[in-house]
Amino acid sequence: QVQLVESGGGSVQPGGSLRLSCAASGSIGRIYAMGWYRQRVGQQRELVATITSGGSTNTADSVKGRFTISSDLAKNTVYLKMNSLKPEDTAVYYCNADLSRYFGARMDYWGKGTLVTVSS
């Protein structure tokens, strides 16, 4: 089994900052990429940012310059530092990992999500 556990969500005022963390655990063979997606009320899940095992990143235009993704591969952990938060950033943030288990196929795994609320 593979588990992704997110932490760091919460409520913050506009202009504030939060840092999300996601740790992958279980019988992990190789991690190819990890990332963050979000789902706002009434909308589809969308990409926020991803990072490959080689360190290449991809960040959505809507958060570019405000959000930064990073990772600690030794800990199978990915982070999302969110600055200058706006009310429209309010969403459930999901961690994603593209990985293969030991002797297993490469698959996408998802965390249960963590709520970020930006409101005055």
Side-chain angles (χ1 to χ4, degrees), residues 2-90:
V2 172
Q3 284 189 318
L4 302 182
V5 179
E6 302 111 331
S7 61
S11 296
V12 65
Q13 293 187 339
S17 298
L18 283 174
R19 186 191 193 214
L20 305 183
S21 300
C22 171
S25 62
S27 57
I28 298 170
R30 179 180 175 182
I31 294 179
Y32 298 90
M34 296 185 75
W36 293 94
Y37 292 71
R38 69 184 181 187
Q39 188 165 16
R40 292 178 275 195
V41 173
Q43 298 190 24
Q44 291 187 333
R45 193 173 298 187
E46 61 180 358
L47 179 146
V48 177
T50 60
I51 185 167
T52 69
S53 58
S56 298
T57 62
N58 180 33
T59 305
D61 288 342
S62 59
V63 304
K64 201 167 289 185
R66 300 188 296 121
F67 292 11
T68 303
I69 189 169
S70 61
S71 64
D72 183 342
L73 295 181
K75 297 180 180 179
N76 292 338
T77 301
V78 65
Y79 307 96
L80 185 69
K81 183 64 190 301
M82 305 184 293
N83 295 326
S84 303
L85 282 159
K86 304 175 181 180
E88 52 263 42
D89 295 318
T90 295

